[in-house]
């Protein structure tokens, strides 16, 4: 498209979810509540892992990384979502939009890789328990964690660079509550075929490869569990993986629906609704599942509350003597 005589757009306007003022206020209250609970829940998990030495094992180090990631993942999008509910016009500079795109997809890719690594950790613990300390030492765990972050932030780098080279001449309204890929492409007056194809390929490779690795690990886990002679042993072994499997199912189910499909099939209304699940709901589901279903985390939390009550009763000196 010829953009010579067209005015370049310097900022975009988020449309968010349309509706009456009462509906907007209700959405604001719901989204704000979920966002604050998500921040508090994930922060609590990180705090417990740092404070309780019994939780400083590979499984919980990965969980701490996941909680830290979820804090930033939801913070990358939800503040703008909240603003669209209470403000008539919510804008973002083009450069800020591209930065939001990069950090959102970097954190999303990191989560995909991290979930696959966590599945491998459970696979080793269940299928090769005698070799667990060798195959998943704290040092190896930290390397896996660092590799997840590095790989996640490299994955969307090239598509982001190509997006930064696009021209935007109007309209400037983004039919979304954050800078998702398809809404950005729709606003460009440049040829977006290359960046769309590259973005679709990158997202599909990262999502599907990590999903298949995760499912492969859990497939092996299920086979191993079925071979256990004791019913109680099967139940106990599966319970250690059930919480992670629940998180995996919810997260991958929504992002595969949203991103593993041809760009031409994108529906803005459905896209916004689905985005709420992996931008708002999933970051809250993580701490809820891991605190309600995990005995070690619940025990650490109860221990923390007991110590807090002990200190509040003025027994600080006795605590240190013990």
């Amino acid at each position: 498209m010829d953009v010579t005589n067209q005015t370049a757009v310097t900022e975009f306007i988020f449309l968010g979810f349309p509706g009456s003022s009462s509906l907007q206020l209700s959405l604001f209250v719901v989204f704000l509540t979920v966002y604050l609970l998500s921040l508090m829940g994930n922060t609590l998990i990180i705090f417990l892992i740092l404070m309780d030495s019994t939780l400083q094992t590979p499984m919980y180090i990965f969980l701490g990384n996941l909680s830290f990631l979820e804090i930033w993942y939801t913070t990358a999008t939800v503040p703008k979502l909240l603003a669209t509910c209470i403000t008539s016009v919510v804008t973002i500079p083009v450069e800020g939009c591209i930065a939001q795109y990069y950090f959102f997809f970097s954190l999303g890719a990191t989560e995909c890789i991290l979930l696959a690594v966590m599945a491998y950790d459970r696979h080793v613990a269940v299928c090769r328990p005698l070799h667990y300390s060798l195959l998943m030492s704290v040092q190896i765990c930290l390397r896996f964690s660092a590799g997840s972050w590095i790989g996640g932030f490299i994955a969307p780098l090239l598509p982001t660079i190509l997006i930064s080279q696009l021209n935007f001449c109007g309209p400037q309204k983004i039919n979304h509550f954050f800078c998702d890929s398809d809404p950005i492409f729709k606003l460009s007056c440049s040829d977006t075929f290359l960046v769309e194809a590259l973005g679709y390929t990158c997202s599909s490779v990262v999502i599907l490869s990590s999903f298949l690795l995760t499912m492969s690990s859990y497939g092996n886990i299920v086979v191993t569990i079925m071979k256990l002679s004791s019913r109680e042993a099967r139940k106990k072994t599966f319970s250690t993986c059930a919480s992670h499997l629940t998180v995996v199912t919810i997260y991958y189910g929504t992002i595969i629906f949203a991103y593993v499909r041809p760009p031409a099939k994108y529906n803005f209304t459905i896209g916004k609704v689905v985005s709420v699940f992996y931008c708002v709901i999933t970051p809250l589901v993580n701490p809820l599942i891991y605190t309600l279903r995990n005995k070690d985390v619940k025990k650490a939390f109860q221990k923390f509350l007991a110590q807090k009550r002990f200190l509040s009763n003025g027994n600080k000196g006795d605590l240190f003597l013990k």
Side-chain angles (χ1 to χ4, degrees):
M1 184 180 295
D2 183 15
V3 298
T4 305
N5 297 320
Q6 299 187 32
T7 304
V9 171
T10 58
E11 64 180 15
F12 295 127
I13 300 173
F14 290 119
L15 297 182
F17 290 97
S20 63
S21 57
S22 59
L23 175 61
Q24 294 290 328
L25 183 59
S26 299
L27 290 175
F28 175 80
V29 173
V30 171
F31 291 148
L32 179 62
T33 302
V34 174
Y35 177 55
L36 293 178
L37 289 175
S38 174
L39 292 181
M40 290 187 293
N42 283 295
T43 301
L44 176 62
I45 288 179
I46 296 172
F47 174 78
L48 292 175
I49 292 173
L50 291 175
M51 297 300 294
D52 195 318
S53 59
T54 62
L55 296 182
Q56 293 170 9
T57 60
M59 176 181 173
Y60 294 106
I61 291 174
F62 289 135
L63 176 57
N65 274 269
L66 183 62
S67 293
F68 181 74
L69 184 149
E70 296 287 22
I71 291 173
W72 294 106
Y73 185 66
T74 188
T75 301
T77 57
V78 174
K80 286 294 184 182
L81 170 60
L82 294 173
T84 61
C85 295
I86 58 174
T87 307
S88 57
V89 178
V90 179
T91 63
I92 185 172
V94 172
E95 295 80 6
C97 186
I98 296 173
Q100 186 188 51
Y101 168 92
Y102 173 69
F103 282 106
F104 174 77
F105 281 98
S106 294
L107 293 167
T110 302
E111 181 158 358
C112 287
I113 300 171
L114 191 58
L115 288 175
V117 169
M118 292 175 71
Y120 173 72
D121 170 69
R122 292 299 84 205
H123 166 261
V124 175
V126 174
C127 302
R128 305 183 67 182
L130 298 179
H131 300 88
Y132 182 78
S133 59
L134 177 64
L135 297 176
M136 195 57 70
S137 63
V138 174
Q139 291 79 10
I140 294 176
C141 167
L142 294 175
R143 291 173 187 172
F144 271 127
S145 299
S148 300
W149 286 92
I150 294 171
F153 275 76
I154 289 176
L157 190 57
L158 184 55
T160 304
I161 293 173
L162 293 179
I163 289 176
S164 68
Q165 304 303 312
L166 296 177
N167 294 303
F168 298 96
C169 312
Q172 62 183 135
K173 294 181 179 180
I174 294 182
N175 190 12
H176 215 305
F177 58 84
F178 74 98
C179 294
D180 204 354
S181 53
D182 287 288
I184 294 177
F185 298 147
K186 297 294 183 183
L187 297 182
S188 176
C189 48
S190 304
D191 183 5
T192 61
F193 175 78
L194 177 61
V195 65
E196 284 192 61
L198 182 62
Y200 172 70
T201 302
C202 287
S203 61
S204 297
V205 168
V206 171
I207 293 171
L208 292 180
S209 61
S210 58
F211 175 72
L212 291 175
L213 288 172
T214 301
M215 290 299 103
S216 175
S217 294
Y218 276 104
N220 291 329
I221 289 173
V222 170
V223 171
T224 302
I225 290 176
M226 296 305 294
K227 291 179 180 179
L228 296 176
S229 57
S230 170
R231 180 180 178 182
E232 186 64 27
R234 289 198 299 267
K235 182 179 178 181
K236 182 178 180 180
T237 303
F238 185 76
S239 66
T240 63
C241 307
S243 55
H244 180 217
L245 187 58
T246 305
V247 173
V248 165
T249 302
I250 296 173
Y251 182 70
Y252 278 114
T254 53
I255 63 171
I256 288 176
F257 179 85
Y259 295 108
V260 184
R261 44 118 189 97
K265 300 294 184 180
Y266 188 82
N267 181 288
F268 287 102
T269 302
I270 296 176
K272 284 188 286 187
V273 174
V274 174
S275 296
V276 169
F277 282 90
Y278 56 80
C279 292
V280 184
I281 305 300
T282 303
L284 173 63
V285 170
N286 171 30
L288 283 178
I289 289 177
Y290 278 108
T291 52
L292 294 177
R293 293 185 60 90
N294 192 290
K295 293 181 180 179
D296 293 333
V297 175
K298 286 194 291 185
K299 185 183 297 184
F301 184 59
Q302 291 167 356
K303 180 180 177 182
F304 166 72
L305 292 178
Q307 291 177 341
K308 188 176 180 181
R309 285 195 297 267
F310 191 82
L311 291 173
S312 65
N313 291 332
N315 298 316
K316 296 182 180 180
D318 294 339
L319 180 64
F320 285 114
L321 288 173
K322 293 182 180 181

